[in-house]
């Protein structure tokens, strides 16, 4: 390990990563978070929000392909999409690749982050904010959805985890929140969301989210991918009242990819199907989970990643 | 990050991990490598060989399930298995779970490592060295196979990567070596091997191994898994002259798991199939690769993970 | 920086040291502290108590020479010495080198530390605990002194700093405590103490201690040394009601060193005198200090090293 | 240790420091070195050249007071001063404080460093480059002195250490180099120089420099100070053919400080005298040293700080 500049990130409470920074491109503070952007030999531009790597230039397509395309390909003809969070613009960019999409509403609470993204992160948004189909609001997404009764074919939830007993994100992981999302879905609609890291499958973050979503939606399926820039595997959820994602076969995904002329850097039809295959220990952890997060008792994570529903003490 | 004892590991040349050590259990030096064994809050016992984490108590099943069972389940009735490396005994342990196995020969060059494993790593071998079907040699595996013309149903290759232009492991990644393995396979046999990390798919280590194995075997398939304790994704190869692994369907894996009464902690039939689904960028990297490693020009990796066939200087 | 085992120490809240551990010799937990003992290439055995390096085999003589000999050489004929703390035995060892010493009482609260020192730290105590002149108690030093009205020629205070608003050490840095020490001094006696790091001279830890001791003793002088194993400079205090240490000239120290046939590895007569020469910025910081620590309002240090007399709130 | 940006510096081959960077102010590469400038909570602006901290805003006065003033105060009336190195301008700044100085020539090989200093390091130079008495050249100092036969009252050598067998700095630590300096001194002149870290006194870097200077000058004296921003103690040398520095008493320094109306932040007359008092182990190491560095066999340091006169291989 050579002398020089590094970013220290606590990957877990017991393992920390020192990431070499070839050049620090920006350091900004918004009302909500602190942003550090640096250039890394291995990952290109690396975006840090507060204490964690959020996205890197060379592998952001792995995350964004996985968040966006399974849901949009599960839907036979998505015309309207709602995005919760997603401030740097890459989720929006991927959504707009589907030719049937006529309207994409994105609501991220951090207006300054959106402005910074427009200026410093062109590799992520690639002009998506300027697309005439895009409608971007800097507001609290839950408030926006409560105040607008518009419905969407697909809702994508791109949030950070509710770490800490005072995390405001806690109220975006509850039965009431998922019920609101359900009301804002058109018939036949799908919700997809980032749903927690799967470091060791006995960790309960993902199982609690899965269990909570299951209170609201008929069909709830976990899928997963490894995110190189995080050095971690993450769980995602695809939920619907209409169609069990597991009944969509590889051929259907393939047909839709072909019809929509989508050339993805990471995902293809067999891999989408494969992402839904889970290991035994994760299946057992999901089945064993009993915690349901509600507005009255919203769950949050301590530093070790353990879920709680009440203040610690 | 709290004060205390840490192990510094260079995950890549640009990213280093500091792993908290709750207790250092052993530090030993053999003729071939230096072993550090410590207890970690997140992973239980962690085994370091030289500079890298090799295995952890809590997730070694992910690695060993993935190395062993796809090959042994691909074979309708494996009776004899040869293991290259695998000194800590967990590969052997998993092999012996298949009831048809009558003979398992393991050859690891480091006799001291095997002795240390017997003493300090009971969670790994779980008595496998004492199984009457086991035959363990502390020798160079290539020399052993050249001197014995015994044939096996399955050969499992559990080696570390050829890092450095003088790495002796270089000669266990060549056309001639894979040809030797092929000669030691019974008709219908399979070879499975650990085949390099897949951090970003443009890395060429795995593609070069894949390309080289393809010189020798008719059917060569890449599959992959995330290893939590490494914080990395690894590629594996399943090769055969007889059967394309992709033609073995999930139902066949399921039937064999049931017949053999195997209860695995990590793998199941759908997940084995899913591990063979590759992302687009990895498919392209494998297809684009042209380097073939031979005894005359054995490939090796520099610190950045780039493959070379000649000395650098 | 090579892969391997390191001890992470926060030298300041902003600068942390990773110390390479060639071998971990012991890790023990007592009622009062956690001890880590490792071998370092640069410093030999390194003793860590809780979060900080306490002493190293190769440079402990710098610290112990500086704590012990200025006071004992300032006294024309010290016969009895009291040591507060000093569990690993090196302070006692240096005291016993003065031939006039007939009795050395050491009181350290941590009986287990003393036992560990006897077993694992022979380079420090070098048999001092077994010297017939030594009288070692595992008790609270303040309680011991309150209960015994014995008087001493020299009292040496070898304590760690009062870090944290609940630190029990706070009551060993107050006017009342120093008044107790004064009562236990024979006429003409001296007190010497470790008195805080001098990283940048505007830090107030040492000035507060100096200011507080000045409430009690007529003559209070700061002296200093660099401790290589800490990578820090430390302040010490020599106090007396009888003699201003600055009036003791180099020749007197030299005569006493000669008479007592002391061969020290670090200190000599001119260097003792030199240690009392202070830089301008430290002189100003001591003169400007107004905080006096009392039992009613004992001072303590926050993580940045700032002194406080009340809870932070 | 909090998440965030850090500079990793190898203080020794076995101890590394992670310094928290609150803000990275500049990163520049010159023909000769790489400069990193960041803001630290503890030290203000921190200047890194290549791999090591060179100077910090809050404690640069410790280093520069120590390099400059003992020599200029040893001289009864210095009118001309020559500075070898010293690119950031603080040595020049301190020299110009002596009212008798009519001419100060500074020669630093790195013209880009001087330009960067003018722009980014006003706290260091404080306009010294613009003083009409200053004459600054961006050249090799040895070549300059060989080509100009001007003589000076004081020569100050502010160089980095000759680390590595190919270090060009090797030829600025030889008998021939010191002989050249002597020729460029006026009668009664002094040379002062930074002369290596004193981490443990058995390290030989300083003793070799001392031994080599002794080949050339009649009076050679070591003095020392702790540099907080380095977390290390450094040795300096004051040499002269005319006056033994140890014969200059505190009163003389005091008189000259008064006459010249110098108000220093760090040094005062008693402290200058005190800096020449050395510990026993350092005295012994200097006396035991036999290596003399010459142009034919210039000494250099390996990574462990051991001196060599021939290539290692």
């Amino acid at each position: 390990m050579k002398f020089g500049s590094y970013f220290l990130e606590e990957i877990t409470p017991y393992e920390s990563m020192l990431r070499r920074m070839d050049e620090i491109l920006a350091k900004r503070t918004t009302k909500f978070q602190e942003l550090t952007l640096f250039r890394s030999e291995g990952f290109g531009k690396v975006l840090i929000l507060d204490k964690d790597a959020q996205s890197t230039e060379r592998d952001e397509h792995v995350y964004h392909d996985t968040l966006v395309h399974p849901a949009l390909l599960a839907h036979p003809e998505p015309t309207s999409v709602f995005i919760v969070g997603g401030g740097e613009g890459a989720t929006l960019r991927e959504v707009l690749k589907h030719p049937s999409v006529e309207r994409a509403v994105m609501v991220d609470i951090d207006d300054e982050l959106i402005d910074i993204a427009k200026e410093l992160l062109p590799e992520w948004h690639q002009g998506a904010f300027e697309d005439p189909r895009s409608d971007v609001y800097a507001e609290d997404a839950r408030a926006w959805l409560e105040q607008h009764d518009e419905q969407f074919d697909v809702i994508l939830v791109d949030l950070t985890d509710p770490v800490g007993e005072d995390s405001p994100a806690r109220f975006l992981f509850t039965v009431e929140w998922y019920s609101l999302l359900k009301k804002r879905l058109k018939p036949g609609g799908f919700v997809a969301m980032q749903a927690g890291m799967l470091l060791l499958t006995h960790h309960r973050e993902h199982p609690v989210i899965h269990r909570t979503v299951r209170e609201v939606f008929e069909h709830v399926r976990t899928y997963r991918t490894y995110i190189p820039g995080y050095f971690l595997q993450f769980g995602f959820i695809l939920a619907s009242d209409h169609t069990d994602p597991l009944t969509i076969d590889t051929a259907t995904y393939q047909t839709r990819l072909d019809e929509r002329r989508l050339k993805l850097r990471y995902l293809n039809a067999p891999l989408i199907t494969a992402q839904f295959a889970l290991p035994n220990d994760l299946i057992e952890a999901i089945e064993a989970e009993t915690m349901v997060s509600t507005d009255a008792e919203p769950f949050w994570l301590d530093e070790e990643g353990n879920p709680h529903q009440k203040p610690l003490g």
Side-chain angles (χ1 to χ4, degrees), chain A residues 6-193:
Chain A
Y6 289 85
F7 191 86
L8 174 73
E9 181 187 7
E10 294 193 86
I11 300 277
T12 77
Y14 318 112
E15 284 93 19
S16 290
M17 183 74 82
L18 285 163
R19 296 172 183 262
R20 188 172 184 81
M21 303 190 285
D22 282 349
E23 190 183 359
I24 298 197
L25 301 167
K27 193 166 168 186
R28 304 278 178 87
T29 304
T30 76
K31 277 187 299 290
F32 297 98
Q33 45 208 339
E34 188 176 88
L35 175 150
T36 305
L37 185 70
F38 63 85
R39 194 181 305 285
S40 139
E41 180 70 24
F43 289 102
K45 286 187 185 176
V46 176
L47 171 67
I48 307 275
L49 291 184
D50 291 334
K51 63 188 184 57
D52 294 316
Q54 282 299 312
S55 212
T56 85
E57 183 182 350
R58 288 219 191 116
D59 81 336
E60 57 81 17
H61 63 290
V62 175
Y63 178 87
H64 293 108
D65 270 18
T66 303
L67 176 64
V68 171
H69 298 300
L72 271 85
L73 290 168
H75 195 287
E77 194 176 10
T79 57
S80 60
V81 178
F82 186 85
I83 301 166
V84 180
E88 80 315 277
T91 299
L92 183 60
R93 176 197 75 205
E94 290 302 311
V95 163
L96 295 171
K97 287 184 177 170
H98 290 258
S100 60
V101 170
E102 296 167 1
R103 172 165 167 75
V105 178
M106 170 182 146
V107 182
D108 191 302
I109 201 166
D110 194 342
D111 58 327
E112 293 167 284
L113 177 62
I114 295 171
D115 288 342
I116 292 169
K118 285 180 184 171
E119 174 193 348
L120 297 174
L121 303 175
E123 298 85 351
W124 275 260
H125 61 75
Q126 294 178 18
F129 294 123
E130 273 66 52
D131 191 291
R133 296 170 291 168
S134 299
D135 208 0
V136 177
Y137 297 87
E139 287 180 33
D140 175 72
R142 186 161 174 177
W144 196 97
L145 284 173
E146 282 164 350
Q147 290 152 18
H148 298 72
D149 54 11
E150 184 176 352
Q151 287 185 319
F152 300 89
D153 291 317
V154 173
I155 297 178
L156 301 172
V157 185
D158 189 4
L159 290 172
T160 53
D161 301 338
V163 177
E165 49 191 286
D166 297 324
S167 165
R170 282 173 308 157
F171 295 99
L172 300 176
F173 289 85
T174 65
V175 165
E176 290 82 356
W177 159 249
Y178 296 124
S179 301
L180 174 61
L181 296 185
K182 182 169 162 171
K183 277 194 249 168
R184 296 297 177 256
L185 274 190
K186 289 187 192 166
F190 288 87
V191 171
M193 63 187 76

Side-chain angles (χ1 to χ4, degrees), chain A residues 29 36 53 80 87 101 131 160 176 203 214 230 247 259 264 280 297 304:
Chain A
T29 304
T36 305
S80 60
V101 170
D131 191 291
T160 53
E176 290 82 356
H203 273 189
R214 188 157 276 183
Y230 296 168
T247 63
E259 286 171 358
L264 306 179
N280 290 334
E297 290 200 324
E304 279 74 29

Side-chain angles (χ1 to χ4, degrees), chain A residues 53 55 75 99 163 200 214 243 249 265 299:
Chain A
S55 212
H75 195 287
V163 177
L200 283 176
R214 188 157 276 183
T243 307
D249 60 12
R265 286 173 60 199
F299 102 108

Side-chain angles (χ1 to χ4, degrees), chain A residues 159-280:
Chain A
L159 290 172
T160 53
D161 301 338
V163 177
E165 49 191 286
D166 297 324
S167 165
R170 282 173 308 157
F171 295 99
L172 300 176
F173 289 85
T174 65
V175 165
E176 290 82 356
W177 159 249
Y178 296 124
S179 301
L180 174 61
L181 296 185
K182 182 169 162 171
K183 277 194 249 168
R184 296 297 177 256
L185 274 190
K186 289 187 192 166
F190 288 87
V191 171
M193 63 187 76
Q194 187 277 77
M197 75 186 217
L198 301 170
L199 180 55
L200 283 176
T201 50
H202 64 272
H203 273 189
R204 290 178 57 202
E205 177 184 7
H206 179 77
V208 171
I209 299 174
H210 185 110
R211 181 69 186 78
T212 301
V213 179
R214 188 157 276 183
E215 291 290 299
V216 176
F217 285 96
E218 178 77 16
H219 307 289
V220 179
R221 296 295 175 182
T222 290
Y223 63 111
R224 353 163 258 160
T225 198
Y226 171 60
I227 313 283
Y230 296 168
F231 294 90
L232 291 172
Q233 179 178 248
F234 267 75
F236 292 80
I237 283 173
L238 184 55
S240 164
D241 266 356
H242 179 267
T243 307
D244 180 353
L246 291 199
T247 63
I248 306 172
D249 60 12
T250 303
T252 302
Y253 287 123
Q254 188 62 57
T255 302
R256 290 176 182 168
L257 280 164
D258 293 342
E259 286 171 358
R260 301 180 194 180
R261 296 170 192 261
L262 289 171
K263 294 205 140 197
L264 306 179
R265 286 173 60 199
Y266 183 69
L267 277 186
N268 51 44
L271 185 52
I272 295 173
T273 309
Q275 286 184 329
F276 288 89
L278 305 183
N280 290 334

